[in-house]
Amino acid sequence: MGRVRNRWGEGERLRGEILAGASRLLSELGGGDGLTIRGVARAVGIAPASIYQHFVDREALLRGLSEHEFGRLREVMRVAEEGAGDAVGRLRAQVHAYCAFAVENPGHYRLMVGHGAVRSGAGSAPVGPLMDVVAGLRVGFERCAEEGRASRVPAERAAVMLFVGAHGRVALLHSNPGETRPEAVGSFVDELVDLLLV
Amino acid sequence: MGRVRNRWGEGERLRGEILAGASRLLSELGGGDGLTIRGVARAVGIAPASIYQHFVDREALLRGLSEHEFGRLREVMRVAEEGAGDAVGRLRAQVHAYCAFAVENPGHYRLMVGHGAVRSGAGSAPVGPLMDVVAGLRVGFERCAEEGRASRVPAERAAVMLFVGAHGRVALLHSNPGETRPEAVGSFVDELVDLLLV
DNA sequence: CAAGTACCCGAACGAACGTTTGGTAACTGT
DNA sequence: ACAGTTACCAAACGTTCGTTCGGGTACTTG
């Protein structure tokens, strides 16, 4: 092993390398199911046992990885939205960024949606990272309404429909690679936005 | 084992029992990933080796099971459609039957959509069992148009949108059980139909 | 320089898996 | 009765997995 050992306060650095290695593996594998402790250890170049210094078990690694990637997704969507012009453009930018992330990172996406992305919150209302995405879309629809382009259904429902549509389209592409060109996802969500806005 | 051996011409009977056992297992497991040769053998009450008389390997078993279940889905959708009245009712009945099947059979559904349900056909047009479902929905929209309730987008696109929406909603319910009540799927697709029809 | 400690690993355990091999028992046609 | 065929299985092989245990190595501190 050409690996250099971390210094005293830098034990946390291996944690980052483990997450990065797992992330790399996730790009090659289809999803979290194929992600093994031993595989991650091989990818990072460490012993399987070393992973247990930073994650108590496989589930904890998957949870940590999911949270890590949700951070990336939020950032990508935020940047995309800021770069757009009017309200409709910002809404489109949000959902396009979401789809692009999902299309380019099938393994990450599958892990994220399948791993506690939506929990049952207070009053049985769903909460979680994915619901934050829906909330962002709802704000987008509300801004559109203020600029004169109302949605055919209440903003909340429009946001859910757009999100569910995007998720469904992406999921179909992932489970049937080669079914269509990835760009078809973008035009699908564009159609959906057109349908939702009056 | 109290298992009685099949008679001469009845070797094919075990094939059916294997598929039935695998189907039962699929209801308990989340999807095809957890379906093992040994597990199926245990469920049916036979030796693992006996499965290889009817399926050359694990992949073949999964393929056979997927085809078997697509037959069931088609039948359920056909019956539901026949029992409905006007064109809109028949369209709704189709998609409701689809969702009900998916909600009640999470394991089967995941296996079906993830296992060659859409293949690249001639001219890069997607074909496969799932596309048959879309075709059925398109006919439904066309019938609605003939009865005076046209869709806001061409029937082909409306069918795709409805299908993708239903798939997305079901997939979300499956990856996050307890997120909402299963009945929410039905009302979601109803909303979607209302949005699509003028 | 000695003690302490943060960091990491080699080796092993037990369990599960897909698949192959070499059968045995039951039944049928002659 | 006997050969041939069908239907099924016990046992094993080799692999991979998650996880644990008992250290060892190199750095910091006193």
Side-chain angles (χ1 to χ4, degrees), chain A residues 66-84 93-98 100-101 105 112 129 132-133:
Chain A
S66 179
E67 284 167 24
H68 183 253
E69 296 299 328
F70 262 117
R72 258 182 64 204
L73 172 59
R74 261 191 292 267
E75 178 64 11
V76 166
M77 289 182 71
R78 197 185 56 76
V79 169
E81 192 187 0
E82 283 182 356
Q94 267 193 82
V95 61
H96 272 126
Y98 181 86
F101 179 93
N105 306 283
M112 290 156 75
D132 295 350
V133 172

Side-chain angles (χ1 to χ4, degrees), chain B residues 3 5-6 8 11 14 46-47 49-50 53:
Chain B
R3 160 160 292 275
R5 151 185 228 86
N6 282 326
W8 255 59
L14 187 56
I46 59 176
S50 303
Q53 297 259 320

Side-chain angles (χ1 to χ4, degrees), chain B residues 73-74 76-82 84 87-101 132-144 159 162 166 189 193:
Chain B
L73 173 59
R74 260 189 293 265
V76 166
M77 289 182 70
R78 195 186 57 77
V79 169
E81 193 188 359
E82 282 182 356
V88 178
R90 292 175 69 166
L91 178 61
R92 290 196 134 99
Q94 268 192 83
V95 62
H96 273 127
Y98 181 87
C99 291
F101 180 92
D132 294 350
V133 173
V134 174
L137 294 179
R138 198 196 64 232
V139 173
F141 276 108
E142 286 166 352
R143 264 198 307 258
C144 288
L162 182 53
V189 295
V193 170

